[in-house]
Amino acid sequence: MAEITENTATLQKYLSLDQRGRILAEYIWIDGSGSIRSKGRTLKKAITSVDDLPEWNFDGSSTMQAPGHDSDVYLRPVAYYPDPFRRGDNVIVLAECWNNDGTPNKFNHRHECEKLMNAHKSEKVWFGLEQEYTLFDQYDNVYGWPKGGFPAPQGPYYCGVGTGKVYARDVIEAHYRACLYAGIEISGINAEVMPSQWEFQVGPCTGIEMGDQLWVARYLLHRVAEEFGVKISFHPKPLKGDWNGAGCHTNVSTEKMRSAGGIKYIDEAIEKLAKRHKEHILLYGADNDLRLTGRHETASATSFSAGVANRGASIRIPRSVAKEGQGYFEDRRPASNIDPYLVTGIIAETIMGEIADADMSKEFQRESL
Ligand code: ADP
Ligand code: MN
Ligand code: MN
Ligand code: MN
């Protein structure tokens, strides 16, 4: 680690050099494995609108997004955020991926999701995502765990305080600040049940912004962790055995649900969700069956259930919501490795209605074409 510290001191000298009015824009996108890629470019002046950002491209054959003989994939900017690493007027640019023939890239699920969100704009749908994740060191040991062994069983770690009960608080604290700087609606953080597993919450966010903000928050987490030499895993069951899996609970409300008597609309939504359980599960993350076992605060992947304050159900209505008769519900099924566009998209489709030119349940199949 000493080497890293010395290099960082040397780097500071260069980071403080005048940029001569030029802007650094780091374009980020989702690749063919559900990871994030990025590359940077120089722009001539500060950005005031997404329209100021040029379309760009990359070699899709190197990211599992295109064949070698037709490898250009286009990056179309959809949102930008202040860059907490470069600061100043520098920005992080979230881009959608488009193919040469004018169709959305097979891993671009944002496009269909946005159509649904736009069609249902009047419902003012809000989402809040609870992103759980696990930390590993550079040798792929769970971060902070004893070499070749295991820590004491689960119990003291959830919201743990103190040495031996909590790991990597520095990484988490840095990520929290980076999110706030970038304008992410990060609403909280907590240490999880398994040691070295954490959660951050983003939301409530309206419609398509939910997926956008979560992807940027994930990018910031990978980037921050990189500086600490820590790896981030979004696998839903990173360790077999009596260790909790990682999810991405999805909290949902429409304006009607948030208004007086809204519980009626929450109940209606749950009835609709029950009918499409299988279709939802297909979009709720790879290897999620390893997590949705009916143990460790989950419901089984093969059956649908709902209940007030029940953390063993597919859908939970928070106690306070049942009491007040209005608010939101929590879909506990989505795994930590979801594409939030798929999940918020199919929830929007199921509870607010299908539209003619989008079918979220078909979106996932596009990936294997
Ligand atoms: P849990 O008790 O399940 O751990 P958290 O406090 O971790 O809950 O997360 C709750 C999430 O619900 C937050 O992301 C928050 O933004 C979101 N949320 C709160 N109110 C609403 C609402 N009306 N609609 C949608 N999401 C909401
Ligand atoms: Mn939570
Ligand atoms: Mn949690
Ligand atoms: Mn939750």
Side-chain angles (χ1 to χ4, degrees), residues 125-132 158 185-190 192 199-205 210 249-254 257-258 311 316 318 321 327-330 332:
V125 64
W126 290 358
F127 297 96
L129 294 178
E130 303 169 46
Q131 176 69 69
E132 293 179 341
Y158 170 72
E185 291 288 341
I186 184 165
S187 46
I189 55 163
N190 61 268
E192 271 302 337
E199 168 180 315
F200 65 85
Q201 299 101 32
V202 180
C205 293
M210 185 70 258
H249 296 166
T250 302
N251 299 276
V252 188
S253 64
T254 58
M257 295 177 191
R258 295 189 293 271
R311 287 175 195 268
R316 176 178 69 106
V321 172
Y328 65 99
F329 67 88
E330 176 190 42
R332 298 177 61 81

Side-chain angles (χ1 to χ4, degrees), residues 33-35 130-138 140-143 171-172 192 194-200 218 221-223 225-226 229-240 244-248 286-287 335-338:
S33 69
S35 297
E130 303 169 46
Q131 176 69 69
E132 293 179 341
Y133 59 97
T134 312
L135 302 163
F136 286 82
D137 68 20
Q138 52 192 320
D140 291 321
N141 304 305
V142 184
Y143 187 81
V171 179
I172 276 67
E192 271 302 337
M194 173 182 144
S196 237
Q197 198 167 80
W198 284 82
E199 168 180 315
F200 65 85
R218 284 175 173 177
L221 182 57
H222 282 298
R223 262 299 267 108
E226 179 186 312
V230 169
K231 287 187 189 175
I232 304 298
S233 167
F234 289 113
H235 195 277
K237 194 73 181 182
L239 265 101
K240 295 212 168 65
N244 271 31
C248 193
D287 293 326
S336 44
N337 59 356
I338 51 163

